[in-house]
Amino acid sequence: MSRYSVFSLVRNAFSYHQNWQRAWRSPDPKREYDVVIVGGGGHGLATAYYLATECGITNVAVIEKGWLGGGNTGRNTTIVRSNYLWDESAALYGHAMQLWQGLSQALNYNVMYSPRGLLHLAHSVHDMQEIQRRGNAIYLNGIDSEFLSPEQVREMVPFMSMEGRYPVLGALLQKRGGTARHDAVAWGYARAADAAGVDIIQNCEVTGFDIQDGTVTGVQTSRGRIGAKTVGVVTAGHSSVMAEMAGFRMPLESFPLQALVSEPVKPVVDCVIMSNGVHAYISQSDKGELVIGASSDAYNSYTQRGSYDIIEDTLQAICEMYPLFTRMRMLRQWGGIVDVTVDRSPIISKTPVRNLYFNCGWGTGGFKCTPGSGHVFAHSLANGDMHAIAAPFSMDRFNSGALVDEGAASAVAH
Amino acid sequence: MFLISCPWCGERDQTEFHCHGEAHIARPENSLEMDDAAWGDYVFFRKNVKGVHLERWTHDHGCGRWFNAARNTATDEFLAFYKPGEAPPADLERVS
């Protein structure tokens, strides 16, 4: 694979950019792999990349039923942050944050990670107590966080209505938080994994698992059987469907989560603004669109579309907080299916079937942890034992009671 | 957005209702003898089916009463509404 650089740009300009090499191959599946990853989203592709580049396992296939990054990787609101309460979460999301910082260089692909700052607003005494508790916990875990007074918030976001229906009493700021280009993350990992020898097989749906004596030996797919010594399932909203094929249940429920973008306008929001009290968060893409996130619908569904009443709730909050945007028009709205656990923390775990691992339960906020999730999952698959950062996120915690309760931190902004 | 037929009030807008997840999960009667695995299974593990889902709803902004519904989670199409204590209609799989 040729590297992207200023020289390759100049070289390809001479042929009017008609001869760029394809970013990844489209191979036919082999009969057997050391590791098969089910699901070609960001987390699955990252897992394959780290398996091939850090763990020395290159005989790897990523099997995707649709196209790369066509699920939640392409449907989130691109927000990156690590301001979580508990030590276990700080280790996991902080690990991802460190990987984000060097990711474009590592992948030789611009993922447009932009640490533009992430504001978490407090609207009530309770909110203030919550951000103080969480902010101090985050600080003790060595992750940057600062408390802002209302005056400092006004200085950052002068157009915010701070005395209206949702008064702003203070905020928690994570300066390294921000955004990254979601599609580029999938494409960057795919290209780099492919270059390291991983086979990426699209339009290939897994229809079942071959399990002998409690050990997985391969997967049945729409393109025939593919043998595997180890299988990692990274299928987000469809994880319960995959688990049923393997003969067990997951502590998950799948809900639609939607987002929307406005028509593009000149730069106005130069950070990410979120709050738990007002369930609408906003940032601006480099194209100029306002990217607005909403609540999930509160019923199980696999339809990839959300309810209109959620849009109405979200936009009334946006209009109340930012009167400047009342005449903006929304361009696109979409939904993704998120797999939610009761403690709002992910599941990175062994399963009742030997050599079958699941990485799921990221719920409404998995994008931010794409590099960290892939990294610890790859090391877990390679060693046959869970990575120290991943160990607390075993699905056994729902039986032992050792939950990692992140309801307050993970409820918004992804 | 759905229209939902409350068994007591008739057809109303979805925003009047709240969904409470999988129906027909009976609370175990021998909880003192249950081990952690069985108890965790009862509290947290769900079918989360893609297909016909039997689920509980309340008519919060109406009569306030509970009822059950059968809905296809792949299409969001409601197949049946029935009162608590009643068995789900038998021919649901065929309908979907």
Side-chain angles (χ1 to χ4, degrees), chain B residues 35-69:
Chain B
D35 60 7
D36 288 349
W39 187 247
D41 195 59
Y42 159 67
V43 177
F44 296 120
F45 287 69
R46 295 291 176 264
K47 290 181 194 150
N48 194 23
V49 289
K50 183 176 187 178
V52 179
H53 190 239
L54 304 178
E55 58 195 14
R56 302 182 302 159
W57 289 80
T58 46
H59 192 184
D60 291 359
H61 302 290
C63 62
R65 298 173 81 170
W66 290 76
F67 60 93
N68 292 325

Side-chain angles (χ1 to χ4, degrees), chain A residues 314-373:
Chain A
T314 305
L315 292 181
Q316 70 82 13
I318 292 289
C319 292
E320 183 69 35
M321 297 273 315
Y322 314 103
L324 183 69
F325 300 146
T326 50
R327 285 182 294 163
M328 296 276 294
R329 282 165 294 194
M330 293 298 138
L331 273 193
R332 284 178 289 122
Q333 171 267 353
W334 64 93
I337 299 305
V338 298
D339 45 331
V340 177
T341 58
V342 289
D343 62 358
R344 299 297 188 269
S345 286
I347 295 167
I348 311 172
S349 182
K350 294 182 179 180
T351 67
V353 178
R354 257 190 312 278
N355 298 341
L356 176 65
Y357 298 77
F358 268 58
N359 182 351
C360 59
W362 289 93
T364 57
F367 174 72
K368 66 175 81 69
C369 204
T370 304
S373 158

Side-chain angles (χ1 to χ4, degrees), chain A residues 202-253:
Chain A
Q202 299 182 72
N203 298 312
C204 179
E205 182 172 0
V206 169
T207 54
F209 295 98
D210 288 344
I211 297 169
Q212 284 175 359
D213 303 327
T215 303
V216 70
T217 57
V219 292
Q220 295 291 342
T221 77
S222 54
R223 295 180 66 177
R225 180 185 189 275
I226 300 174
K229 296 192 178 81
T230 300
V231 177
V233 176
V234 199
T235 51
H238 279 70
S239 297
S240 295
V241 177
M242 302 306 293
E244 193 193 354
M245 288 179 195
F248 55 90
R249 293 198 298 174
M250 297 296 288
L252 293 172
E253 290 191 281

Side-chain angles (χ1 to χ4, degrees), chain A residues 35 51 54-57 230 357 376-385:
Chain A
V35 180
L51 275 171
E54 288 198 7
C55 305
I57 302 177
T230 300
Y357 298 77
V376 298
F377 196 49
H379 281 272
S380 304
L381 295 179
N383 297 331
D385 201 15

Side-chain angles (χ1 to χ4, degrees), chain B residues 5-96:
Chain B
S5 292
C6 171
W8 286 279
C9 308
E11 197 167 78
R12 299 290 179 84
D13 190 283
Q14 172 210 329
T15 53
E16 293 185 14
F17 297 85
H18 190 77
C19 183
H20 297 268
E22 189 178 326
H24 307 297
I25 301 174
R27 186 183 173 89
E29 291 174 353
N30 60 336
S31 57
L32 288 177
E33 293 105 60
M34 286 166 70
D35 60 7
D36 288 349
W39 187 247
D41 195 59
Y42 159 67
V43 177
F44 296 120
F45 287 69
R46 295 291 176 264
K47 290 181 194 150
N48 194 23
V49 289
K50 183 176 187 178
V52 179
H53 190 239
L54 304 178
E55 58 195 14
R56 302 182 302 159
W57 289 80
T58 46
H59 192 184
D60 291 359
H61 302 290
C63 62
R65 298 173 81 170
W66 290 76
F67 60 93
N68 292 325
R71 184 171 51 91
N72 185 338
T73 58
T75 61
D76 279 350
E77 182 188 7
F78 276 103
L79 305 172
F81 300 95
Y82 55 102
K83 293 178 180 175
E86 292 178 4
D91 55 349
L92 289 172
E93 297 292 341
R94 192 169 51 78
V95 173
S96 66

Side-chain angles (χ1 to χ4, degrees), chain A residues 22-342:
Chain A
R22 288 186 73 123
W24 52 81
R25 298 164 295 128
S26 189
D28 288 325
K30 287 191 258 180
R31 290 169 61 92
E32 180 152 14
Y33 291 91
D34 290 340
V35 180
V36 164
I37 304 292
V38 182
H43 291 238
L45 292 164
T47 305
Y49 167 76
Y50 291 114
L51 275 171
T53 57
E54 288 198 7
C55 305
I57 302 177
T58 55
N59 188 22
V60 176
V62 176
I63 299 175
E64 165 58 45
K65 78 170 170 182
W67 65 95
L68 294 187
N72 294 350
T73 302
R75 294 165 187 267
N76 58 71
T77 50
T78 78
I79 291 166
V80 172
R81 61 187 177 93
S82 60
N83 50 358
Y84 281 71
L85 174 66
W86 298 105
D87 296 353
E88 297 86 350
S89 313
L92 180 59
Y93 294 98
H95 183 53
M97 188 59 98
Q98 287 181 345
L99 290 169
W100 277 118
Q101 291 172 354
L103 194 59
S104 293
Q105 288 73 25
L107 298 180
N108 181 229
Y109 201 100
N110 187 3
V111 299
M112 296 167 71
Y113 165 57
S114 163
R116 58 185 62 183
L118 180 134
L119 267 181
H120 187 116
L121 304 177
H123 303 284
S124 63
V125 173
H126 171 80
D127 279 354
M128 287 297 284
Q129 290 166 344
E130 191 276 318
I131 66 167
Q132 279 159 9
R133 178 188 182 214
R134 185 154 53 85
N136 285 319
I138 295 164
Y139 192 75
L140 287 173
N141 275 318
I143 293 172
D144 62 314
S145 69
E146 295 169 32
F147 297 108
L148 299 190
S149 66
E151 293 72 34
Q152 289 170 302
V153 175
R154 180 171 297 288
E155 203 167 295
M156 275 187 74
V157 193
F159 54 87
M160 188 191 298
S161 166
M162 295 180 55
E163 279 92 35
R165 182 173 168 190
Y166 305 116
V168 176
L169 306 185
L172 192 61
L173 170 67
Q174 183 174 25
K175 282 188 175 165
R176 282 187 305 162
T179 60
R181 171 101 165 90
H182 51 1
D183 294 328
V185 174
W187 299 334
Y189 272 122
R191 176 170 171 270
D194 177 86
V198 172
D199 282 357
I200 296 170
I201 300 156
Q202 299 182 72
N203 298 312
C204 179
E205 182 172 0
V206 169
T207 54
F209 295 98
D210 288 344
I211 297 169
Q212 284 175 359
D213 303 327
T215 303
V216 70
T217 57
V219 292
Q220 295 291 342
T221 77
S222 54
R223 295 180 66 177
R225 180 185 189 275
I226 300 174
K229 296 192 178 81
T230 300
V231 177
V233 176
V234 199
T235 51
H238 279 70
S239 297
S240 295
V241 177
M242 302 306 293
E244 193 193 354
M245 288 179 195
F248 55 90
R249 293 198 298 174
M250 297 296 288
L252 293 172
E253 290 191 281
S254 296
F255 302 113
L257 176 67
Q258 59 183 320
L260 55 165
V261 294
S262 74
E263 58 192 331
V265 289
K266 287 184 176 178
V268 53
V269 188
D270 64 356
C271 57
V272 179
I273 312 168
M274 60 186 273
S275 68
N276 278 358
V278 180
H279 213 143
Y281 54 95
I282 191 165
S283 64
Q284 190 172 17
S285 74
D286 292 350
K287 278 189 285 186
E289 302 155 325
L290 299 180
V291 183
I292 295 168
S295 314
S296 55
D297 283 303
Y299 50 82
N300 297 44
S301 181
Y302 288 86
T303 56
Q304 293 191 321
R305 56 176 185 254
S307 298
Y308 288 113
D309 55 297
I310 301 273
I311 303 176
E312 191 176 342
D313 282 353
T314 305
L315 292 181
Q316 70 82 13
I318 292 289
C319 292
E320 183 69 35
M321 297 273 315
Y322 314 103
L324 183 69
F325 300 146
T326 50
R327 285 182 294 163
M328 296 276 294
R329 282 165 294 194
M330 293 298 138
L331 273 193
R332 284 178 289 122
Q333 171 267 353
W334 64 93
I337 299 305
V338 298
D339 45 331
V340 177
T341 58
V342 289

